[in-house]
Amino acid sequence: MIMNDHRRLGRELGIFDTDPLIGSGLPYWLPAGAAVRKAVEDYVHELERRNGYQHVNSPVLGKRELYERSGHWAHYAEDMFPPMEVGGEEFVLRPSLCPHHAIIYRSRQRSHRDLPLRVAELGGMYRSELSGVLGGLTRVRAIQLNDGHVFCAPEQAAAEVSAALDLIETAHERLGIRAARYRLSLRGEGAKFVDDPGMWARSESVLRDVLKERGRPYDEERGEGAFYGPKIDIQIADPAGRESTLSTVQVDYFQPERFDLRYVGGERPVMVHRSVVGGLERLVAHLIEVHGGAFPAWMAPVQAVVLPLSDAELPAAERVLRRCVAAGLRAELAPPGRGSLGARIRAHRLVPYQLVVGPREAADEGAGGGAGGRAAVRLRDGSQAGEVPIEELAARSRPFA
Ligand SMILES: [Zn+2]
């Protein structure tokens, strides 16, 4: 097995686990994993907010008719869970968030000056993968998707695609992710794809023009598009070189027509589908592998560990811990009872900030009457950062400056 396989590391680090009684492809998040995931969720939410998105929430189920209308029923049914019958109606676990967002667009009257309308949601979606292909966090049946849809006028579509790519590139840089390649995923043969050559040609040319204008190399691949339109897929690779899609931007003329979306004047908007970081399961799997568990401080499950040299410094260390927690840091205490300082440092070697409280810091801390909150900070590469105020450590542990 490869060193940084997320399945091994993810279990060792307490990120996630699975249980046959819950079912395969249905991992659950342990505290360290839930902490990483929440940090990433908050970051993406804030990034979207700063870029003009409005966040919504919608249910993970919908009536079968919703998916008949969206086209999923005709083109995507084999990836969907079978319907559940309740009170004479059939409900489906949603295979995507797009139909709900189309309904949200339609729920209010829209005019040209409301556009582009950028709607985002972190929501559950479901895929009826067969058990043979499931594993770890990369192939799952329940996905928490970072999704978003921009409803815009046709002449705004190219700029919105480009803005979505900017957002993706900003997020990747912050997360420490390097794309393996960009792929323009086109229509393939067969009934899986909506049969409307003119529509495909229009949406392909928008995506192709944007890619060319940005000057980044990309490959075109037939048969990898969504059923309703072409996609720009940003591919990542695992340590074994296996590729998967993380982020995506799509131009869609199909669903606006299916849901009869309009803005005042009777014009039909375009739907730009985009996911900045994809499903959180696959994203965190990739982050585990990229960082080998040594996550950037802002997303680390534990950002600071407080290490009293001996029992004499324990009360001062507890005060430092409380200050860390109050300052917003995810922090814990490693008391002397858990072994020598060296052993405790090794046990916390992935923690970005290791706060050693010796007699000098304890005396300072006492003298500061609880207001100073200083500690001798050791970084996980073994270097010493000297005495850093806890507020400053907390500031360094945020994804935005
Ligand atoms: Zn969508």
Side-chain angles (χ1 to χ4, degrees), residues 99-110:
H100 284 92
H101 289 187
I103 299 277
I104 286 169
Y105 177 89
R106 213 176 62 172
S107 68
R108 297 287 181 276
Q109 197 172 77
R110 312 289 183 182

Side-chain angles (χ1 to χ4, degrees), residues 72 96-99 101 145 147-149 228 250 252 255 271-274:
H72 284 85
S96 82
L97 281 63
C98 330
H101 289 187
L145 184 69
D147 206 1
H149 296 91
Y228 48 80
Q250 312 164 13
D252 176 12
Q255 296 199 43
M271 236 171 128
V272 175
H273 307 236
R274 43 100 285 182

Side-chain angles (χ1 to χ4, degrees), residues 36 67 96 98 128 138 147 192 204 238 272 282 296 316 324 368 379 399:
V36 173
Y67 303 99
S96 82
C98 330
S128 68
T138 45
D147 206 1
K192 215 187 129 203
E204 278 175 30
D238 74 5
V272 175
R282 179 172 290 170
C324 287
L379 305 181

Side-chain angles (χ1 to χ4, degrees), residues 147-191:
D147 206 1
H149 296 91
V150 182
F151 300 88
C152 63
E155 69 274 12
Q156 297 170 327
E160 288 303 314
V161 169
S162 203
L165 289 172
D166 285 341
L167 211 57
I168 289 167
E169 285 165 12
T170 301
H172 283 195
E173 196 185 330
R174 184 40 102 198
L175 292 158
I177 292 172
R178 261 225 324 257
R181 66 184 176 113
Y182 280 39
R183 182 177 79 185
L184 178 56
S185 301
L186 305 172
R187 181 191 183 186
E189 302 302 319

Side-chain angles (χ1 to χ4, degrees), residues 25-102:
L26 299 169
Y28 54 87
W29 298 79
L30 292 163
V36 173
R37 176 177 146 165
K38 179 71 165 58
V40 172
E41 284 177 16
D42 289 351
Y43 164 66
V44 175
H45 190 281
E46 177 62 11
L47 182 67
E48 288 171 337
R49 190 190 69 81
R50 292 180 182 208
N51 284 276
Y53 282 85
Q54 297 179 305
H55 288 90
V56 297
N57 296 107
S58 56
V60 300
L61 292 165
K63 275 165 65 176
R64 173 181 161 159
E65 288 82 350
L66 179 66
Y67 303 99
E68 288 173 347
R69 176 72 74 91
S70 68
H72 284 85
W73 198 259
H75 299 281
Y76 199 75
E78 65 191 44
D79 292 305
M80 291 163 65
F81 279 91
M84 295 169 266
E85 208 191 296
V86 181
E89 292 183 309
E90 287 188 315
F91 293 90
V92 182
L93 276 171
R94 68 177 168 191
S96 82
L97 281 63
C98 330
H100 284 92
H101 289 187

Side-chain angles (χ1 to χ4, degrees), residues 23-352:
S24 55
L26 299 169
Y28 54 87
W29 298 79
L30 292 163
V36 173
R37 176 177 146 165
K38 179 71 165 58
V40 172
E41 284 177 16
D42 289 351
Y43 164 66
V44 175
H45 190 281
E46 177 62 11
L47 182 67
E48 288 171 337
R49 190 190 69 81
R50 292 180 182 208
N51 284 276
Y53 282 85
Q54 297 179 305
H55 288 90
V56 297
N57 296 107
S58 56
V60 300
L61 292 165
K63 275 165 65 176
R64 173 181 161 159
E65 288 82 350
L66 179 66
Y67 303 99
E68 288 173 347
R69 176 72 74 91
S70 68
H72 284 85
W73 198 259
H75 299 281
Y76 199 75
E78 65 191 44
D79 292 305
M80 291 163 65
F81 279 91
M84 295 169 266
E85 208 191 296
V86 181
E89 292 183 309
E90 287 188 315
F91 293 90
V92 182
L93 276 171
R94 68 177 168 191
S96 82
L97 281 63
C98 330
H100 284 92
H101 289 187
I103 299 277
I104 286 169
Y105 177 89
R106 213 176 62 172
S107 68
R108 297 287 181 276
Q109 197 172 77
R110 312 289 183 182
S111 75
H112 191 279
R113 64 170 189 280
D114 298 325
L115 307 182
L117 183 78
R118 304 183 187 92
V119 173
E121 178 173 2
L122 178 74
M125 57 166 274
Y126 302 86
R127 201 170 276 169
S128 68
E129 305 263 20
L130 299 176
S131 6
V133 302
L134 298 169
L137 289 176
T138 45
R139 291 296 287 272
V140 295
R141 287 170 162 154
I143 297 164
Q144 276 297 314
L145 184 69
N146 156 248
D147 206 1
H149 296 91
V150 182
F151 300 88
C152 63
E155 69 274 12
Q156 297 170 327
E160 288 303 314
V161 169
S162 203
L165 289 172
D166 285 341
L167 211 57
I168 289 167
E169 285 165 12
T170 301
H172 283 195
E173 196 185 330
R174 184 40 102 198
L175 292 158
I177 292 172
R178 261 225 324 257
R181 66 184 176 113
Y182 280 39
R183 182 177 79 185
L184 178 56
S185 301
L186 305 172
R187 181 191 183 186
E189 302 302 319
K192 215 187 129 203
F193 300 94
V194 169
D195 185 23
D196 184 341
M199 183 193 82
W200 282 89
R202 267 200 298 162
S203 43
E204 278 175 30
S205 82
V206 173
L207 295 182
R208 199 176 280 120
D209 288 351
V210 171
L211 283 169
K212 286 193 174 139
E213 195 191 298
R214 295 174 72 87
R216 199 182 238 280
Y218 66 95
D219 305 312
E220 298 202 2
E221 260 175 61
R222 302 234 147 251
E224 296 290 343
F227 73 82
Y228 48 80
K231 313 189 282 168
I232 296 171
D233 289 327
I234 290 129
Q235 303 293 102
I236 51 166
D238 74 5
R242 273 186 305 257
E243 237 187 49
S244 57
T245 301
L246 189 72
S247 314
T248 182
V249 186
Q250 312 164 13
V251 168
D252 176 12
Y253 298 100
F254 178 72
Q255 296 199 43
E257 200 178 300
R258 294 302 293 250
F259 286 98
D260 193 25
L261 307 184
R262 307 252 178 209
Y263 51 95
V264 170
E267 300 290 320
R268 195 150 334 267
V270 180
M271 236 171 128
V272 175
H273 307 236
R274 43 100 285 182
S275 180
V276 178
V277 294
L280 288 177
E281 292 76 13
R282 179 172 290 170
L283 172 66
V284 172
H286 191 61
L287 291 173
I288 293 169
E289 291 175 349
V290 166
H291 298 295
F295 298 103
W298 67 267
M299 68 169 94
V302 178
Q303 297 167 310
V305 59
V306 184
L307 302 149
L309 218 48
S310 73
D311 283 334
E313 289 85 31
L314 197 51
E318 280 166 352
R319 284 193 294 275
V320 170
L321 174 71
R322 278 197 296 275
R323 281 184 209 151
C324 287
V325 172
L329 287 162
R330 294 184 289 278
E332 63 183 39
L333 180 73
R338 293 203 202 148
S340 69
L341 182 65
R344 283 178 282 147
I345 286 175
R346 275 194 300 282
H348 294 86
R349 66 190 174 283
L350 297 175
V351 176

